[in-house]
Amino acid sequence: MAKPVITLNGLKLVIMLGMLVIILTGIRFAADIIVPFILALFIAVILNPLVQRMERLRLPRVVAITLLISVIVLGMVLLLAYLGTSLNELTRTLPQYRSSLAVPLQQLEPWLQRAGIGVSVEELLKYIDPNAAMSLVTGLLAQLSNAMSAIFLLLLTVVFMLLEVPQLPAKLQPLMSRPAEGMGAIQRAVDSVSRYLVLKTAISIITGLVVWGMLAALGVRFAFIWGLLAFALNYIPNIGSVLAALPPIAQVLVFNGFYDALIVLGGYLLVNLVFGNILEPRVMGRGLGLSTLVVFLSLIFWGWLLGPVGMLLSVPLTIIVKIALEQTEGGRSIALLLSDTGAR
């Protein structure tokens, strides 16, 4: 009986897959250390073009970085103070939700019974516990106060990264076997990620401001919180805008009724249509080179590996992986699978 023969290529593939599993497992277990570093790295990528513009105005790099970080710290202090006040008000309001929720449920009960779904409003209200939501918001407030030290360390890391940028090419070139190609790939990755993050940040800020203004004009309470949520979740591709719309629509449904909730839903659909389907594709173009399926799968993968920050940064992280794969002979076929070439 002939024994199976393991080829050299098959053995290499098994070893590489084993190493990949070990590396991914290590990254997941060390996520508490890796995530702040990755977040600081991407913040530095966003801020570096601003620092370079300030340098063109004859400002020393140290002064430019100091001014920029000072403005960011001041803005964050004001933002966190206002956010803390809004969350405190939300905590005081939560006990009203249980009694207010009875009205829309009673209006919905005949519709459900006509559809053959037997639902008792009294039984449903027994399962609604506002204390759980209050505990969640209280936990958020505690994390907000504890986050100040983490934010300080994060910004300090960003400062050192920005100071190190001019020396990086001279340090990286001796480590590469082909410096010209290697530096070209790094520059291409930095340019792609920087362009994506800067444009995405600008569009997210505008989206958050528009949502805040829209909800404030409609008289929706906690409009600032929902605008901030729309800004943050807009970084998450495909599903971020949907997740950002759910809490304010649910709030309006409970406190204001079905028709007001429909108006808010229409406003969110209009914002997502204008910014997500018209403005963002026109501004960003098709320069990312990733297929739609890969963008969605990368959201799941990086979210599993790095948590919420991985979901926020799933697209730039995948761009970096794709460009890195393009530099190796064996990785080019995988990079081709990640690209949107077949869609053109």
Side-chain angles (χ1 to χ4, degrees):
M1 185 174 178
K3 294 182 179 180
V5 178
I6 300 177
T7 63
L8 185 60
N9 288 335
L11 185 60
K12 283 183 179 179
L13 180 62
V14 171
I15 293 173
M16 287 176 63
L17 289 175
M19 291 173 64
L20 182 62
V21 170
I22 293 171
I23 291 170
L24 292 178
T25 305
I27 290 173
R28 194 173 183 195
F29 276 105
D32 291 340
I33 300 171
I34 294 172
V35 166
F37 176 78
I38 293 176
L39 191 57
L41 181 62
F42 281 111
I43 292 173
V45 168
I46 294 173
L47 296 181
N48 191 54
L50 295 175
V51 174
Q52 290 176 336
R53 285 179 180 245
M54 294 170 76
E55 282 185 303
R56 293 192 197 109
L57 299 175
R58 306 266 179 105
L59 279 175
R61 189 172 185 86
V62 176
V63 176
I65 293 172
T66 303
L67 286 174
L68 194 57
I69 295 297
S70 300
V71 171
I72 291 173
V73 169
L74 179 62
M76 289 187 68
V77 168
L78 295 174
L79 180 68
L80 289 174
Y82 190 64
L83 181 60
T85 304
S86 299
L87 285 175
N88 272 322
E89 187 182 352
L90 178 60
T91 305
R92 290 194 299 270
T93 308
L94 281 174
Q96 303 173 17
Y97 273 72
R98 191 174 186 276
S99 57
S100 301
L101 192 58
V103 177
L105 284 177
Q106 286 170 351
Q107 294 175 349
L108 191 63
E109 187 177 8
W111 294 59
L112 293 175
Q113 287 178 350
R114 285 193 205 113
I117 303 172
V119 177
S120 171
V121 173
E122 289 76 14
E123 291 296 323
L124 280 176
L125 289 174
K126 291 179 182 178
Y127 293 98
I128 297 170
D129 184 14
N131 293 324
M134 287 180 67
S135 301
L136 176 62
V137 177
T138 305
L140 284 174
L141 285 170
Q143 289 181 10
L144 201 60
S145 59
N146 294 333
M148 292 305 295
S149 58
I151 290 172
F152 174 76
L153 290 174
L154 182 70
L155 290 177
L156 198 60
T157 307
V158 171
V159 169
F160 285 117
M161 285 180 174
L162 290 172
L163 290 172
E164 192 73 13
V165 168
Q167 289 80 36
L168 275 180
K171 291 182 177 181
L172 291 175
Q173 282 182 357
L175 303 176
M176 300 176 182
S177 57
R178 294 178 292 180
E181 293 182 16
M183 292 306 298
I186 290 174
Q187 188 61 48
R188 195 162 67 255
V190 170
D191 289 343
S192 299
V193 171
S194 177
R195 182 175 181 275
Y196 172 81
L197 287 176
V198 169
L199 291 175
K200 192 70 173 177
T201 300
I203 293 171
S204 297
I205 290 172
I206 297 171
T207 302
L209 290 173
V210 169
V211 168
W212 180 18
M214 176 193 72
L215 295 178
L218 293 173
V220 178
R221 298 182 69 182
F222 316 115
F224 175 76
I225 294 178
W226 307 136
L228 190 62
L229 187 68
F231 158 75
L233 295 185
N234 195 59
Y235 283 94
I236 300 178
N238 300 325
I239 63 171
S241 56
V242 177
L243 295 176
L246 293 179
I249 292 173
Q251 174 193 305
V252 174
L253 180 63
V254 170
F255 283 103
N256 301 89
F258 182 72
Y259 294 107
D260 287 341
L262 275 181
I263 293 172
V264 174
L265 174 62
Y268 267 98
L269 288 175
L270 182 62
V271 169
N272 292 329
L273 175 67
V274 172
F275 289 97
N277 297 332
I278 299 175
L279 180 63
E280 189 170 317
R282 183 166 295 183
V283 171
M284 290 190 174
R286 297 189 53 152
L288 297 179
L290 298 174
S291 71
T292 307
L293 177 62
V294 168
V295 169
F296 182 72
L297 293 178
S298 69
L299 172 69
I300 299 172
F301 173 75
W302 293 111
W304 166 79
L305 190 64
L306 300 174
V309 173
M311 296 177 73
L312 294 174
L313 300 175
S314 59
V315 172
L317 286 168
T318 308
I319 291 172
I320 292 172
V321 170
K322 177 176 173 289
I323 292 175
L325 288 170
E326 288 173 347
Q327 307 312 305
T328 61
E329 195 69 35
R332 283 174 192 156
S333 56
I334 302 175
L336 184 63
L337 290 174
L338 299 179
S339 69
D340 60 349
T341 306
R344 294 181 186 183

